[in-house]
């Protein structure tokens, strides 16, 4: 019979599972740490040259987080200044100059921060190589996005409303690459829910697109020669005299209704410039909508695909049983097995064990199953080393209620140990099934057939959900041959129990 391989429920054995998930995972997040090279005899933190700043230093991480907050501010204020502040009042740009100062400090700091080589994955702390790498990559873009173009414009234009300098200020949006890198790191951080991070990212992209489109469309109207022949001037002739909040909310309203293809008709293009931008914005919305729907669909499908596959499997099993006119008992066993498999696969216990090193898997098995194996009558008096070797070779499995573990007259292939649950001893006499006994927790199943190489006397069938340890007969016999004294103790225990 097919079986669902799993480990014992750790929640009943490990006290650390009583804590919150965030507490248990707080020490597990090392995705940003540098891996040692193969053959390294120790993994000590790399000793950097003098005056260099480690990219893994917690203080540097705080600095990067602070810059992310400044990037969010720049992403909001840059389109707003570009579109709505026609004569560029001085007050907002004082803050801009301060923000630019922080990013200028970061540019200088980058020359002292080692980087990980993409080919060797080693930390490079040579100042010349650090400078060469930065100068040949993002340095020019970082300088352009940090240069105080507004302060420079004061030397050439008194009224400060020239579009050329405004376009140069838009280069500050280059800083958004830091936000993209942040989301990429958070998606790999096990302390945060992946679906939540993806949703926040999609919402942020949508809000930024709405904000930018509204600002650009207002700029087109504000710069058009005839204010009344604009999308906002048609319903608000003196819109330039209105407050900033009213103009900004109106622009966002137009942007949202256009993005969602609602189109109430109260705000619409009135000239060729606005029509062209509207066409470009709607084409962009087609791509953005496809991107959003695709990502949301992936999140939903990922969360429901297992359930859908489970229901399809149950339906297929029921149709198979009906088509082949199987007895109700066999059909019930099939469905119970499928349901149990669905539950155990959701726990991903076996998958978790498979990715662990062998020594770690052995430690877990010893902690979970050593007492129950040691308490079995067959292994009374054997050495602890033999028990440890035996436990590490055993596999834990779940069996659904009314599922056959061993069939009567089967050749002995595996030895089973009941950890939890209940098992009936069933035999066919005169064409009917009769129950001859029950196995309690901690008892062995089929040990006589395995040790004496005889066909199984009974059918062992679970009466409720049971957890069972299994070891193959060849492995067990090899261990007994390798450990002669323990083998004699095991044979003696078997003989005494059957006399």
């Amino acid at each position: 019979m097919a079986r669902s391989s799993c480990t014992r429920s750790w929640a009943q054995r490990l006290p650390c599972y009583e804590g919150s998930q965030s507490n248990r995972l707080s020490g597990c997040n090392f995705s940003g740490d540098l891996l040692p090279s193969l053959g390294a005899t120790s993994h000590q933190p790399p000793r950097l040259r003098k005056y260099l700043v480690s990219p893994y230093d917690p203080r540097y991480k705080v600095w990067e987080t602070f810059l992310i907050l400044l990037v969010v501010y720049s992403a909001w204020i840059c389109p707003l200044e570009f579109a709505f502040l026609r004569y560029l009042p001085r007050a907002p740009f004082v803050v801009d100059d301060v923000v630019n100062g922080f990013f200028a400090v970061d540019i200088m700091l980058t020359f002292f921060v080692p980087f990980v080589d993409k080919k060797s994955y080693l930390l490079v702390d040579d100042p010349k190589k650090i400078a060469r790498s930065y100068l040949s990559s993002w340095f020019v873009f970082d300088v352009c996005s940090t240069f105080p173009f507004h302060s420079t414009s004061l030397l050439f234009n008194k009224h400060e409303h020239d579009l050329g300098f405004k376009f140069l200020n838009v280069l500050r949006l280059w800083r958004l690459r830091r936000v993209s890198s942040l989301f990429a790191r958070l998606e790999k951080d096990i302390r945060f829910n992946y679906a939540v991070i993806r949703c926040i990212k999609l919402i942020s992209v949508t809000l930024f697109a709405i904000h930018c489109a509204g600002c650009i469309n207002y700029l087109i109207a504000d710069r058009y020669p005839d204010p009344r022949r604009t999308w906002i001037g048609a319903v608000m002739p003196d819109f330039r005299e209105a407050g900033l909040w009213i103009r900004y909310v109106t622009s966002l309203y137009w942007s949202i209704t256009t993005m969602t293809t609602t189109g109430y008709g109260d705000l619409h293009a009135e000239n060729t410039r606005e029509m062209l931008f509207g066409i470009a914005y709607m084409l962009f919305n087609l791509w953005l909508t496809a991107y959003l729907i695709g990502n949301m669909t992936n999140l939903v499908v990922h969360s429901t695909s297992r359930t859908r596959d489970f229901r399809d499997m149950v339906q297929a099993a029921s149709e198979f049983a009906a088509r082949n006119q199987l007895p109700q008992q066999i059909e019930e066993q099939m469905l119970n097995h499928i349901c149990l498999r669905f539950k155990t696969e959701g726990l991903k216990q076996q998958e978790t064990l498979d990715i662990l090193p062998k020594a770690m898997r052995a430690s877990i098995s010893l902690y979970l199953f050593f007492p129950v194996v040691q308490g079995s009558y067959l292994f009374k008096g054997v050495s602890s080393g033999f028990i440890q070797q035996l436990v590490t070779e055993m596999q834990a499995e779940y069996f659904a209620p009314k599922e056959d573990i061993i069939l009567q007259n089967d050749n002995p292939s595996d030895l089973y140990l009941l950890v939890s649950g209940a098992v009936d001893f069933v035999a066919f006499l005169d064409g009917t099934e009769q129950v001859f006994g029950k196995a309690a927790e901690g008892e062995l199943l089929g040990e006589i057939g395995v040790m004496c190489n005889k066909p199984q006397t009974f059918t062992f069938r679970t009466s409720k959900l049971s957890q069972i340890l299994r070891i193959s007969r060849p492995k067990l016999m090899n261990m007994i041959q390798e450990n002669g004294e323990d083998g004699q103790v095991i044979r003696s225990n078997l003989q005494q129990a059957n006399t």
Side-chain angles (χ1 to χ4, degrees):
M1 298 294 293
R3 310 175 182 113
S4 302
S5 298
C6 293
T7 60
R8 189 177 182 182
S9 176
W10 298 352
Q12 301 175 357
R13 300 291 302 272
L14 299 178
C16 67
Y17 270 70
E18 298 176 358
S20 64
Q21 183 181 21
S22 59
N23 291 335
R24 287 186 278 110
L25 297 180
S26 60
C28 300
N29 181 42
F30 51 87
S31 58
D33 289 349
L34 187 66
L35 296 177
S37 59
L38 296 177
T41 57
S42 62
H43 183 33
Q44 300 293 334
R47 299 185 61 180
L48 303 179
R49 302 188 185 188
K50 196 175 181 180
Y51 305 119
L52 294 183
V53 180
S54 173
Y56 307 112
D57 192 309
R59 293 169 294 180
Y60 184 72
K61 295 293 186 181
V62 173
W63 170 256
E64 286 187 318
T65 304
F66 174 67
L67 291 182
I68 291 294
L69 299 178
L70 298 183
V71 170
V72 174
Y73 167 78
S74 298
W76 175 76
I77 197 64
C78 182
L80 192 70
E81 292 174 348
F82 183 66
F84 288 92
L85 305 183
R86 184 179 179 88
Y87 293 103
L88 305 182
R90 181 62 184 169
F93 292 94
V94 174
V95 179
D96 288 347
D97 290 340
V98 174
V99 172
N100 288 334
F102 282 112
F103 282 100
V105 172
D106 184 69
I107 290 176
M108 294 184 290
L109 182 62
T110 304
F111 286 97
F112 299 92
V113 178
F115 68 95
V116 178
D117 185 76
K118 294 182 179 180
K119 294 182 178 180
S120 64
Y121 292 97
L122 298 177
L123 197 65
V124 178
D125 62 349
D126 186 346
K128 293 182 179 180
K129 292 183 179 180
I130 295 174
R132 189 183 305 113
S133 175
Y134 185 42
L135 291 173
S136 61
S137 55
W138 308 125
F139 174 75
V140 175
F141 298 97
D142 289 344
V143 170
C144 292
S145 63
T146 306
F147 189 81
F149 290 105
H150 168 69
S151 300
T152 305
S153 67
L154 296 176
L155 303 176
F156 303 97
N157 195 329
K158 182 178 180 180
H159 296 289
E160 314 167 37
H161 62 275
D162 184 69
L163 277 179
F165 286 103
K166 284 190 173 184
F167 274 117
L168 293 175
N169 271 333
V170 176
L171 293 175
R172 286 178 293 175
L173 295 179
W174 164 254
R175 301 167 183 170
L176 286 173
R177 67 181 179 87
R178 296 176 181 268
V179 179
S180 178
S181 300
L182 173 66
F183 278 113
R185 292 197 302 270
L186 293 179
E187 289 174 355
K188 301 180 183 69
D189 196 324
I190 60 178
R191 295 174 298 178
F192 301 96
N193 184 278
Y194 175 78
V196 173
I197 296 300
R198 290 293 297 177
C199 289
I200 293 176
K201 180 180 179 179
L202 297 177
I203 293 173
S204 301
V205 171
T206 304
L207 294 178
F208 180 70
I210 291 172
H211 173 67
C212 290
C215 292
I216 294 174
N217 198 42
Y218 177 82
L219 177 66
I220 294 174
D222 184 55
R223 295 286 171 168
Y224 196 72
D226 187 358
R228 295 181 179 273
R229 291 192 57 223
T230 60
W231 65 273
I232 189 173
V235 296
M236 192 187 303
D238 56 346
F239 69 90
R240 290 177 179 171
E241 305 300 326
L244 175 62
W245 175 250
I246 295 177
R247 289 178 289 158
Y248 180 63
V249 171
T250 304
S251 299
L252 292 184
Y253 171 76
W254 171 89
S255 183
I256 293 175
T257 55
T258 303
M259 170 175 285
T260 57
T261 65
T262 302
Y264 293 114
D266 50 350
L267 297 175
H268 56 273
E270 294 284 347
N271 55 70
T272 305
R273 297 180 187 177
E274 294 173 352
M275 292 179 184
L276 291 175
F277 176 73
I279 292 172
Y281 184 45
M282 286 184 280
L283 291 176
F284 169 79
N285 286 338
L286 292 177
W287 172 85
L288 181 61
T289 303
Y291 172 76
L292 296 175
I293 293 177
N295 279 269
M296 295 304 297
T297 301
N298 285 336
L299 293 177
V300 173
V301 169
H302 178 74
S303 62
T304 60
S305 59
R306 287 190 63 255
T307 303
R308 185 187 66 251
D309 294 341
F310 163 68
R311 298 300 296 269
D312 292 342
M313 183 62 68
V314 170
Q315 181 67 23
S318 299
E319 294 176 355
F320 176 84
R323 183 168 56 253
N324 295 279
Q325 300 180 354
L326 298 179
Q328 183 178 359
Q329 177 185 347
I330 297 180
E331 180 181 0
E332 186 177 354
Q333 288 185 3
M334 293 170 57
L335 296 180
N336 287 340
H337 173 77
I338 293 174
C339 293
L340 178 60
R341 179 180 177 182
F342 173 74
K343 293 180 180 180
T344 55
E345 285 181 350
L347 298 176
K348 295 186 179 299
Q349 296 185 130
Q350 189 61 42
E351 290 82 350
T352 302
L353 287 176
D354 290 341
I355 65 175
L356 297 178
K358 182 178 179 180
M360 191 176 298
R361 294 198 303 268
S363 299
I364 295 173
S365 298
L366 289 173
Y367 175 77
L368 296 176
F369 304 121
F370 186 89
V372 67
V373 175
Q374 191 178 38
S376 175
Y377 85 91
L378 191 63
F379 305 114
K380 289 286 186 179
V382 301
S383 63
S384 297
F386 182 86
I387 298 293
Q388 292 179 5
Q389 185 179 358
L390 183 65
V391 170
T392 56
E393 294 294 339
M394 285 183 161
Q395 293 184 358
E397 300 174 349
Y398 285 123
F399 285 81
K402 298 182 180 181
E403 184 175 354
D404 292 338
I405 304 172
I406 303 175
L407 293 178
Q408 186 178 3
N409 297 322
D410 266 1
N411 292 325
S413 59
D414 298 290
L415 175 67
Y416 297 89
L417 174 61
L418 181 62
V419 178
S420 62
V423 175
D424 294 334
F425 299 166
V426 181
F428 284 90
L429 293 178
D430 300 329
T432 60
E433 287 186 350
Q434 298 183 16
V435 177
F436 284 85
K438 294 182 179 292
E441 295 180 354
E443 293 189 5
L444 293 169
L445 307 176
E447 71 277 12
I448 297 178
V450 170
M451 296 298 299
C452 301
N453 196 22
K454 296 180 179 180
Q456 300 294 349
T457 308
F458 299 102
T459 292
F460 297 92
R461 180 178 299 160
T462 59
S463 58
K464 62 181 181 180
L465 179 64
S466 301
Q467 182 184 174
I468 297 175
L469 292 177
R470 176 179 62 86
I471 184 172
S472 65
R473 183 177 183 274
K475 288 184 178 180
L476 177 62
M477 301 309 295
N478 288 337
M479 292 174 56
I480 291 177
Q481 292 179 1
E482 294 174 358
N483 300 270
E485 295 182 1
D486 293 324
Q488 292 179 2
V489 173
I490 292 174
R491 294 186 182 93
S492 176
N493 293 336
L494 180 64
Q495 185 178 4
Q496 292 178 8
N498 291 275
T499 55

